[in-house]
Amino acid sequence: MNIDKDNVADYLYTRHLLDAPPDAPPEGSCTVEELGGGFLNTVLRVSAGDRSVVVKQALDALRLFPDLRVTTDRIVYETQALRVLDGLFPEGTVPAVLHFDDERRILVMSDLGKRPSLETELERGRVDAGVAGKLGGFLSSLHCQTWDDPDLRARFDNEDMQGLRYKYCFYFVEDPDLNRVARRLAETFTETKQALLHGDFWTASVIVAEERVHTFDLEFVNYGHPAQDAGFIMAHYLLHAYNSPRNADRVFDAVERLWGTYADGMGDYLAEGTETAALRQAGLEMMFRIDGINQVKYITDDGVRARIRQAARPMMLDEGLAVAGLRHV
């Protein structure tokens, strides 16, 4: 069974996961809204009366590339990760797991609401260094609380999704020098298993409201190198600096606050070389989002793309570069 806008309500009603409003006709008992880009999954928000839930089903192939098969085990890892993070952070930080259908690979979650994602806020030019600091604090808390945990290391290998990421998001670079760095970075991330990672911690999977972080989409969760999460979120901030020069200084301030808060929160757990690895991940992710198979839609200018390539190169190659020096690259 593949869920869609026509059958999702029946799926929820028959399992008592959502109640239709009293006296409402079947055709008007709920509203269904598609969420996300649908690149890897079907994701629907279903609302009935004053309650709503989010239903996510893992697809076994990419919509844009149907010949590329993808493991649906990722939604099993995501379900487990939501339960782990729900126990580590205040209620509502991540969606609560309401139901998991292993056979159909369907996850039903609580709804975090219709508040704009951080990505939407940045596209609107709203840059808040305080928000970036909260992200750094959230990441350091996640990594420190799960540091060197044998049980989590065994449960969250998620090797298939990591392999997919390396193949399409790391090895796409044609420049020989950058390709060598990307491959060494993949080797480092493969060999280093230090903490539980969100795995896809970017601005579209984050909402910052009520003075704290809310996050979702953990299907790339894995036990790995903390620089992967830190570099990933910095990359998606930095893209906005180059796409919108009038906001560049505020974005660089935000990235510095994010990294500074993260590094302070990590304390002695912050290993030598983590900042360099995070910058390499950030530079690589920036290039992937303008030249790879899943590009951001808001960057359309060739001059902006050229500037991003120019900035990403020293981020990947200059071992002496620090986050505090990014605005001068």
Side-chain angles (χ1 to χ4, degrees):
M1 172 190 180
N2 289 331
I3 57 166
D4 56 35
K5 296 179 73 171
D6 295 326
N7 64 22
V8 68
D10 285 340
Y11 181 88
L12 294 171
Y13 293 155
T14 57
R15 289 162 179 79
H16 306 290
L17 296 169
L18 198 64
D19 295 324
D23 303 322
E27 66 274 12
S29 60
C30 71
T31 59
V32 182
E33 175 187 359
E34 293 183 5
L35 300 178
F39 190 61
L40 280 171
N41 312 285
T42 297
V43 187
L44 304 170
R45 172 185 284 124
V46 185
S47 305
D50 60 356
R51 184 164 180 258
S52 61
V53 298
V54 173
V55 184
K56 181 174 185 177
Q57 183 175 37
L59 306 175
D60 62 3
L62 302 184
R63 289 190 191 277
L64 298 181
F65 306 96
D67 292 335
L68 176 59
R69 313 308 292 183
V70 188
T71 176
T72 60
D73 287 347
R74 65 187 187 274
I75 203 164
V76 179
Y77 285 109
E78 178 171 11
T79 301
Q80 294 175 351
L82 289 174
R83 289 171 171 151
V84 169
L85 267 66
D86 195 41
L88 296 176
F89 293 96
E91 182 180 356
T93 299
V94 295
V97 176
L98 304 178
H99 175 74
F100 180 60
D101 183 339
D102 190 25
E103 179 183 356
R104 299 174 179 83
R105 297 301 165 100
I106 295 174
L107 170 61
V108 183
M109 301 168 280
S110 64
D111 186 5
L112 293 179
K114 296 186 178 182
R115 296 165 294 194
S117 69
L118 177 58
E119 179 71 355
T120 298
E121 295 287 274
L122 291 174
E123 286 187 40
R124 293 171 178 170
R126 299 171 182 167
V127 186
D128 185 339
V131 166
K134 291 182 178 65
L135 296 176
F138 169 81
L139 267 191
S140 63
S141 179
L142 171 62
H143 294 165
C144 287
Q145 288 189 81
T146 61
W147 193 265
D148 195 21
D149 185 314
D151 175 62
L152 294 177
R153 184 181 290 113
R155 289 170 59 193
F156 289 101
D157 52 27
N158 206 1
E159 291 181 357
D160 287 340
M161 292 303 287
Q162 277 292 88
L164 184 74
R165 167 161 284 162
Y166 296 147
K167 181 176 181 179
Y168 292 98
C169 308
F170 279 58
Y171 305 151
F172 72 97
V173 184
E174 295 182 357
D175 180 286
D177 292 334
L178 299 181
N179 187 274
R180 279 193 292 272
V181 170
R183 289 181 179 274
R184 286 201 302 270
L185 189 64
E187 290 173 2
T188 297
F189 286 172
T190 299
E191 294 168 358
T192 308
K193 307 293 185 183
Q194 293 174 320
L196 187 66
L197 310 185
H198 182 293
D200 200 19
F201 195 62
W202 68 296
T203 46
S205 62
V206 171
I207 298 168
V208 182
E210 299 146 359
E211 299 303 314
R212 61 190 177 93
V213 172
H214 308 264
T215 189
F216 46 93
D217 283 349
L218 284 93
E219 61 194 5
F220 280 90
V221 63
N222 68 96
Y223 203 86
H225 195 304
Q228 191 170 30
D229 272 348
F232 213 72
I233 187 68
M234 287 195 294
H236 286 274
Y237 263 100
L238 291 167
L239 288 171
H240 290 279
Y242 299 111
N243 190 54
S244 182
R246 69 182 181 277
N247 293 323
D249 282 339
R250 289 191 293 148
V251 174
F252 287 123
D253 287 343
V255 171
E256 289 177 21
R257 176 78 71 85
L258 192 159
W259 175 256
T261 306
Y262 175 75
D264 288 345
M266 290 294 289
D268 292 340
Y269 289 128
L270 191 71
E272 183 179 357
T274 302
E275 185 172 8
T276 297
L279 286 172
R280 286 175 173 166
Q281 167 68 93
L284 184 61
E285 175 66 9
M286 287 163 60
M287 288 199 299
F288 174 72
R289 292 297 181 162
I290 60 169
D291 293 326
I293 63 172
N294 190 15
Q295 301 176 17
V296 294
K297 294 181 173 60
Y298 61 86
I299 295 178
T300 58
D301 183 86
D302 287 341
V304 171
R305 291 191 181 97
R307 181 70 186 95
I308 290 170
R309 295 185 193 103
Q310 181 184 17
R313 189 175 185 86
M315 291 171 65
M316 293 184 66
L317 298 178
D318 185 353
E319 293 188 8
L321 184 65
V323 172
L326 287 174
R327 71 179 72 224
H328 307 298
V329 171

